[in-house]
Amino acid sequence: MEERVRAVTWEAPEYHHIERGNDWYWALGIVAGCAAIASFFFGNFLFAILILVAAATITLQTRRHPQDIPFMVGSRGVRVGERLFTYSNLESYRIDEENESHPQLLLKSKQFYMPLIVIPIPEERVHDIEELVRDRLPEEDLEESVAHKLLDLIGF
């Protein structure tokens, strides 16, 4: 008799980190500076300040290294760090094994402000994770948004 998996746990970085060289930061500074100066000349001082604050925030965020986050798929739901997404709050799932960096578990949430949850999963545990989720959620053809793919492409 085959024993069923009750829970699968693993850790993964919170995002894919890309080391950026000094040229990248210079380019960001030049683009942000030019945009802020243009905004200033058109009389939009608040937007100029917003551009500079956004550039500083992007700089700080890109220099930060990702933390390892614990993940767990169990009988009650999916845990990401300290947050538990119960199956009753999820609509459907898809396991994307064609992703170029690693397989992903895509979960469609019933929450308006968080419609798609994307979780990196280890290749060796794909079958166990699918076995747990398949019994509790319907499978649906889900895809990451174009904005998310674009941000991944440019390194965010």
Side-chain angles (χ1 to χ4, degrees), residues 10-15 67-71 79-82:
W10 71 97
E11 284 190 355
E14 60 184 323
Y15 58 88
Q67 297 177 346
D68 282 340
I69 296 188
F71 296 96
R79 184 176 300 279
V80 178
E82 296 298 317

Side-chain angles (χ1 to χ4, degrees), residues 13 24 47-48 65-66 76 94:
W24 191 90
F47 188 55
H65 289 278
R76 289 184 49 219
R94 176 174 178 238

Side-chain angles (χ1 to χ4, degrees), residues 94 106 116 141-145 149:
R94 176 174 178 238
L106 306 171
L116 192 64
D141 190 24
L142 302 172
E143 285 192 34
E144 289 181 279
S145 69
K149 288 181 181 179

